[in-house]
Amino acid sequence: MSPDPGVLRGRLPGLERVLGRVSGAAPGPTLISLGGLHGNEPAGILALLGVLRSLEGREAHLSGDFVALSGNRGALEQNRRFLSKDLNRAWVPDRLHGLQDAEDASVSPSRPPDPEDRERTELLSAVREA
């Protein structure tokens, strides 16, 4: 399977947050892997798609779950490291605590929501769901 031409140019339009999930036949831990936290680094997304393809049909031999998530989808689509701020350093407890309240308070007609705060909220939700 050859990559989409847009991927070769570093652009990844229309990515889902959850790229894929493989559930093993036996119970076990969940491994969550995240690619594309920096939008100008699509290699992680390509690697995760390759891992998902390689795990297809092997569920009977696996224990637990593997979940592949896409990172900063807006920045990936534009092939930019980030749109307003870098998500790489945004995963410390004081920044995560109350994130939803801060996002709700920041939404107004005069101040649109920060795209990376929205990405971080969605990622945190996907991690918790996994």
Side-chain angles (χ1 to χ4, degrees), residues 22-23 52-62:
V22 177
S23 296
L52 289 166
R53 278 193 304 272
S54 73
L55 293 176
E56 281 180 22
R58 301 179 68 180
E59 295 84 357
H61 306 287
L62 302 174

Side-chain angles (χ1 to χ4, degrees), residues 15 22 28 51 91 116:
L15 284 176
V22 177
V51 169
W91 298 97
E116 269 75 26

